[in-house]
Amino acid sequence: MDTGGTFTDIAVSRPDGTVFVWKVSSSPASPDDAVIAGVLEALGELGESPTQIERFVHGTTVATNALITRTGGRVGLVTTAGFRDLLAIGYQSRPHLYDPNSRRPAALVPAELTWEVGERLAADGSELRAIDEAAVRALAAEIEAADVDVVVVSLLNAYVDNSHEHQVADVLRELSVAPSVIAATDVSAEMREFERTSTAVLNGYVQPKVGSYLERLENRLVELQVPARLWVMQSNGGLISGRTARDQSVRTLLSGLAGGVIGAARWAGQLGLDQVVSFDIGGTSTDIALIRAGQPDEMTAGEIEGYPLRMPAVDVHTIGAGGGSIAWRDSGGGLRVGPHSAGATPGPICYGRGGEDITVTDAHLLLGRLGESLLGGRLSLDRPPAEARLRTLAADLGLDPDKAADGVLRVITATMARGVRKVSVERGIDIRDCTLMAFGGAGPLHASDLVRELGLRAAVIPPHPGIASAMGMLDAPIRSDFVASVPTNDATATAQIAPVLDELVTRAEGFVAQESGDSGAASVIEKLVDLRYLGQSYELTIAWQSSPEQLRQQFDRAHRERYGFDDPHARLEIVAARCSATIPVPATVEVNQDMAPQVPAPVAKRAVFFDGAWHDTPIYRRTELPTEVTINGPLIAEQLDTTIVVAPDQACRIDEHGFLHITPEDKA
């Protein structure tokens, strides 16, 4: 189950190897309503009972939406004396260097909900000032009176030694100052005080919403007599239990995004594609990620809504471009598209839900790329009001309606192309060697345009692109990441680093035993370290090697691949030790469908606008297209969850696994 802004997607893997897909409208006010409706509708279509469910995986946007809409919990912060302004001061990096009006978002914890305790640890973890527990107990009454939902305790240098932090947190829990008390090192135990505190505060901010939602969902699944345990997709591309997700809610901030990337990575490996750009277009945004040799790029730190986040995550670049992106005329008379969106409500004009602005989806309809309905006829598209609004926009732009609609798609294509370059060209990747893995409800509508715009090798459309994130979640492993500081900054002192990694492995083995319920024989535990050259501010994460020489060679190679150079004479520093524990799950394998070897007669023909002219274009059902037969464009292929466009100078074929490949006609 993958909850999106417009639709909630359902993928059901059946014992015979087939996969059934379904969609229901999302219910943003109460997301579990759509989840339960989706379960019942999908199983109803299959004639099955909820008691048959053996595995239940869920991707949720509750945490993301709580942050975006600023509807999270009321959070208080307890910190070291003299550091109460840590979140307000932050650091000096600016999102837009030359914009004098650029502002960081307001701190999620206001000054009046920040308290100080007298204690101090040195940078090496030695105690400079002990905690006055009596003072902490006296402060507890003031905290309790503030009526906060969550209290975060983040003390200076606690990442080296968290004993002070835990001591304060234990006292506050004992005195029940708030429903939840969080020690920051239990969320993120890495150096950089601002980022570590920000991550813990983000966890506290989204925890009340995520916790209540997951508890409510689990109770409703119990009422349906679903025997399966609830697994929740997390930002790093792995799964955690519902219980862990309630405690570590910050791990679900990129929950929905990660599912599609994990699916794309598996498909890239299945098809033997070396460099793939995962390209997921929904109603409001496009999520883009780079996949190399079947593995998505990952990051250990980033930002969400302007707030630093120190948490392992799939490296996804998100832009405000989707099917609901609104076309508008700027003050200079130019056509702009997005980033603001019509969203699920009211949505595009053609959805008939009260939308008043031309969107990308409306442009597709008016240019013939979309037919009269979506979702297999369950969602009718209303063309006349979209045509009327397009005429008004076209008049404002001084264009005829056809060129105005075509301009909307050209502008959004340019925006999407910049996003693809961000994860490829800017990382030293030749875009001409990349394949676009296009999915999401709108991805296959734009794949053809991106192949032409960027000179990509090809675009690949998976069998069920509209529910690709839900499909990816079916194969996501159970995973947890552990991190700790090390007693040295010298990367060659491997004898001092190894015991820290051994301790992390012990913690990882405990996680495996708890989550798998068996000996964990199938689990994979990976040791990693964060390294950098002396003088650098940020680091690269690489696999651990006990040999200093091998560790150095591996880091130099990784640095050269990422930045184009290495420095074999620079001193190598270690910043942190990491451990990743993964419990694989049985892979979902779809049976190959044997199709007739000849191209079927199209189910219809309609005029579609390409390159400034209308083309009489055949319309096919994707499920009826033959395998390993090349078909020249233009053509439209329709299916339940998406529509695929192939331009006049392109060709397509479906391989033995059911993936549709779009290539330039001269390379077909």
Side-chain angles (χ1 to χ4, degrees):
M1 308 288 299
D2 176 41
T3 300
T6 306
F7 296 106
T8 293
D9 302 333
I10 304 99
V12 184
S13 176
R14 293 182 282 193
D16 63 0
T18 59
V19 174
F20 174 79
V21 302
W22 196 249
K23 278 179 174 280
V24 297
S25 294
S26 293
S27 50
S30 183
D32 50 305
D33 288 343
V35 172
I36 297 301
V39 170
L40 295 177
E41 286 187 25
L43 293 179
E45 291 289 320
L46 295 172
E48 301 287 354
S49 163
T51 60
Q52 304 290 111
I53 297 174
E54 298 177 353
R55 182 172 169 77
F56 195 101
V57 182
H58 181 35
T60 172
T61 57
V62 170
T64 311
N65 291 339
L67 182 59
I68 290 173
T69 60
R70 299 296 189 271
T71 55
R74 181 175 165 87
V75 183
L77 174 65
V78 176
T79 189
T80 301
F83 289 84
R84 65 178 299 128
D85 295 320
L86 176 66
L87 292 179
I89 295 173
Y91 43 38
Q92 294 191 29
S93 64
R94 293 168 54 175
H96 305 287
L97 186 59
Y98 299 107
D99 181 0
N101 298 314
S102 177
R103 297 289 184 273
R104 291 197 306 268
L108 293 175
V109 181
E112 63 270 18
L113 296 182
T114 304
W115 297 276
E116 297 177 323
V117 294
E119 65 81 40
R120 191 66 178 264
L121 293 180
D124 61 1
S126 59
E127 186 176 74
L128 299 178
R129 182 180 177 185
I131 289 178
D132 183 349
E133 188 169 313
V136 174
R137 291 181 176 275
L139 185 63
E142 184 179 340
I143 298 174
E144 184 176 6
D147 192 26
V148 294
D149 300 309
V150 180
V151 173
V152 173
V153 181
S154 182
L155 305 182
L156 189 67
N157 295 323
Y159 71 93
V160 181
D161 181 350
N162 60 18
S163 57
H164 277 198
E165 202 170 82
H166 279 177
Q167 184 179 347
V168 172
D170 289 343
V171 170
L172 297 181
R173 291 191 189 104
E174 176 193 336
L175 299 175
S176 302
V177 299
S180 177
V181 177
I182 299 171
T185 46
D186 289 344
V187 179
S188 176
E190 300 184 50
M191 62 178 285
R192 297 190 174 94
E193 298 299 329
F194 174 44
E195 290 92 332
R196 184 172 65 86
T197 303
S198 173
T199 302
V201 167
L202 281 169
N203 188 74
Y205 189 73
V206 301
Q207 189 183 71
K209 285 263 186 179
V210 174
S212 62
Y213 165 69
L214 292 178
E215 183 177 8
R216 192 167 66 245
L217 177 59
E218 286 182 313
N219 289 337
R220 295 183 72 172
L221 292 174
V222 169
E223 291 174 2
L224 291 179
Q225 297 182 328
V226 173
R229 186 179 186 181
L230 174 64
W231 294 102
V232 180
M233 193 73 188
Q234 55 179 327
S235 305
N236 64 7
L239 304 178
I240 48 176
S241 65
R243 180 191 64 254
T244 303
R246 289 197 297 271
D247 294 335
Q248 300 271 326
S249 303
V250 71
R251 294 181 181 273
T252 68
L253 274 169
L254 301 178
S255 174
L257 281 65
V261 178
I262 294 303
R266 181 175 72 85
W267 299 323
Q270 181 180 353
L271 300 177
L273 301 175
D274 184 48
Q275 294 184 143
V276 169
V277 175
S278 170
F279 190 69
D280 179 5
I281 308 180
T284 59
S285 64
T286 297
D287 303 318
I288 310 168
L290 180 65
I291 297 167
R292 315 186 212 203
Q295 295 295 322
D297 280 6
E298 291 191 10
M299 58 183 180
T300 57
E303 281 193 357
I304 182 166
E305 288 293 299
Y307 298 102
L309 181 66
R310 295 291 297 186
M311 190 69 61
V314 173
D315 193 352
V316 179
H317 177 59
T318 300
I319 58 175
S325 294
I326 293 172
W328 52 287
R329 178 179 178 272
D330 66 19
S331 58
L335 173 62
R336 304 283 293 277
V337 184
H340 42 297
S341 170
T345 305
I349 296 173
C350 62
Y351 282 10
R353 298 172 179 169
E356 298 179 351
D357 297 303
I358 288 292
T359 66
V360 172
T361 297
D362 294 312
H364 281 299
L365 172 65
L366 298 174
L367 294 177
R369 296 185 172 204
L370 293 176
E372 297 179 353
S373 64
L374 298 175
L375 301 180
R378 292 162 57 204
L379 176 60
S380 297
L381 300 181
D382 193 358
R383 186 184 183 95
E387 288 178 324
R389 183 65 185 89
L390 177 65
R391 286 193 293 269
T392 302
L393 176 64
D396 290 342
L397 296 168
L399 300 172
D400 67 57
D402 292 345
K403 289 186 177 180
D406 186 50
V408 171
L409 297 189
R410 286 176 178 270
V411 171
I412 204 68
T413 296
T415 300
M416 293 172 177
R418 285 195 298 272
V420 173
R421 292 188 184 99
K422 188 79 175 176
V423 305
S424 56
V425 176
E426 294 187 20
R427 298 180 187 177
I429 300 296
D430 189 337
I431 193 68
R432 296 167 297 183
D433 295 333
C434 291
T435 299
L436 192 76
M437 186 72 70
F439 53 94
L445 277 167
H446 293 270
S448 168
D449 293 336
L450 267 296
V451 169
R452 302 169 93 191
E453 178 79 10
L454 293 165
L456 292 160
R457 174 180 290 176
V460 175
I461 316 298
H464 305 292
I467 52 89
S469 289
M471 291 287 295
M473 291 174 193
L474 283 174
D475 294 310
I478 302 164
R479 173 178 165 179
S480 189
D481 298 289
F482 305 87
V483 62
S485 62
V486 291
T488 178
N489 64 358
D490 183 1
T492 65
T494 54
Q496 297 182 57
I497 301 168
V500 178
L501 285 164
D502 291 341
E503 183 181 344
L504 292 178
V505 168
T506 300
R507 291 170 58 190
E509 290 172 343
F511 164 80
V512 168
Q514 174 182 307
E515 299 295 353
S516 65
D518 55 29
S519 63
S523 65
V524 177
I525 297 178
E526 186 178 12
K527 299 178 182 180
L528 306 160
V529 286
D530 291 354
L531 302 178
R532 66 187 182 189
Y533 293 133
L534 179 66
Q536 289 184 318
S537 298
Y538 292 93
E539 53 278 349
L540 291 175
T541 302
I542 64 170
W544 164 250
Q545 302 286 342
S546 58
S547 165
E549 293 77 17
Q550 292 179 356
L551 193 65
R552 178 62 186 244
Q553 292 173 5
Q554 186 166 305
F555 177 80
D556 286 344
R557 182 169 57 251
H559 197 279
R560 189 165 55 249
E561 290 175 356
R562 174 60 66 92
Y563 300 113
F565 75 98
D566 63 343
D567 188 351
H569 303 295
R571 178 184 169 190
L572 196 59
E573 289 187 311
I574 182 167
V575 176
R578 298 181 182 276
C579 183
S580 176
T582 302
I583 307 172
V585 300
T588 300
V589 180
E590 285 195 74
V591 295
N592 296 334
Q593 302 294 323
D594 294 326
M595 304 300 296
Q598 69 274 2
V599 179
V603 296
K605 284 192 174 184
R606 64 172 177 259
V608 182
F609 196 85
F610 291 105
D611 301 323
W614 291 92
H615 295 254
D616 193 25
T617 303
I619 313 300
Y620 297 97
R621 292 189 181 94
R622 179 177 178 173
T623 54
E624 297 177 355
L625 292 177
T627 56
E628 301 301 347
V629 174
T630 299
I631 310 173
N632 292 330
L635 66 89
I636 303 291
E638 298 178 338
Q639 60 187 96
L640 171 69
D641 52 342
T642 196
T643 299
I644 304 165
V645 174
V646 181
D649 59 348
Q650 296 173 332
C652 71
R653 69 175 177 87
I654 294 180
D655 65 25
E656 60 178 336
H657 304 294
F659 292 82
L660 188 146
H661 299 247
I662 301 174
T663 55
E665 199 170 81
D666 59 355
K667 297 180 181 179

